[in-house]
Amino acid sequence: MKIGFLGLLTISFISFITITSIAAGNYQKPDQEVLKKKLTPLQYSVTQEQGTEPPFNNSYWNNEKEGIYVDVVSGEVLFSSQDKYDSKTGWPSFTKPIDQNSIILKQDNSALETRTEVVAKNSGSHLGHVFDDGPPPTNQRYCMNSAALVFIPVEEMKKRGYGKYLYLFDQPKKK
């Protein structure tokens, strides 16, 4: 497939707008038509229909690289690898979000037990659940679905519009 000059210009402009919007913190949920084209069936099921991906068979459960995790729908910054740990559950788990204001906690009665659902504030994406069985100091386990996240490696953060979060990696990760 050949892309002409105008096509490349359009792609570059859209990329610029996306990066500019992210850098400015303008996280928005696209309409359902766009989401169905943008997301894989699993990503759509998880984020829009409160689905769950299989444990130990997802992109980030054992990712040990440094970087941030953002909402697959809006690009909103959610979690840091600095707060990620191996919960032995098969899903990526974090002790806390980067900014508590980027998420909404909701009571979830869809299972046999009452749980606390974690939803991205600006997109309304279902991310996973939070439990009170995590390690100190928070004792929280934010058990997230990889399908709801995009990992941005620390070396790509500035280029992709997330440079203001590089401060998170000034100190080595506490073990």
Side-chain angles (χ1 to χ4, degrees):
M1 175 172 125
K2 286 178 115 180
I3 299 176
F5 175 74
L6 286 178
L8 285 175
L9 186 61
T10 302
I11 291 168
S12 296
F13 180 71
I14 290 169
S15 296
F16 171 76
I17 294 298
T18 301
I19 289 172
T20 304
S21 293
I22 288 170
N26 297 330
Y27 307 111
Q28 296 178 353
K29 180 179 181 176
D31 65 42
Q32 290 301 312
E33 268 315 290
V34 172
L35 284 178
K36 287 183 180 181
K37 291 177 184 172
K38 175 186 173 185
L39 302 176
T40 67
L42 179 60
Q43 290 171 327
Y44 190 87
S45 170
V46 167
T47 62
Q48 305 305 299
E49 299 170 339
Q50 290 72 38
T52 301
E53 67 193 359
F56 303 102
N57 188 17
N58 58 72
S59 299
Y60 305 129
W61 75 273
N62 62 350
N63 181 23
E64 295 184 11
K65 295 177 184 169
E66 284 195 333
I68 57 173
Y69 295 82
V70 303
D71 179 3
V72 71
V73 170
S74 70
E76 183 173 11
V77 177
L78 299 168
F79 298 98
S80 167
S81 61
Q82 296 288 76
D83 302 309
K84 187 174 184 290
Y85 72 100
D86 183 2
S87 64
K88 312 286 190 231
T89 62
W91 288 286
S93 297
F94 304 87
T95 57
K96 63 182 182 178
I98 292 172
D99 180 356
Q100 192 70 37
N101 292 320
S102 67
I103 62 167
I104 298 170
L105 302 179
K106 295 182 172 183
Q107 186 172 322
D108 177 0
N109 298 314
S110 64
L112 296 175
E113 62 180 312
T114 299
R115 303 178 294 175
T116 303
E117 179 185 13
V118 181
V119 176
K121 180 181 178 184
N122 290 302
S123 69
S125 295
H126 169 75
L127 303 171
H129 292 86
V130 62
F131 302 93
D132 292 325
D133 60 4
T138 66
N139 298 319
Q140 300 285 288
R141 174 172 51 99
Y142 285 83
C143 189
M144 302 294 101
N145 287 283
S146 292
L149 305 172
V150 173
F151 176 71
I152 313 291
V154 73
E155 59 272 9
E156 292 181 24
M157 287 171 54
K158 186 173 183 179
K159 175 177 73 173
R160 293 180 65 180
Y162 297 100
K164 74 179 188 178
Y165 295 97
L166 286 168
Y167 76 90
L168 295 168
F169 303 95
D170 289 345
Q171 301 293 321
K173 183 175 180 174
K174 295 177 185 169
K175 300 258 176 173

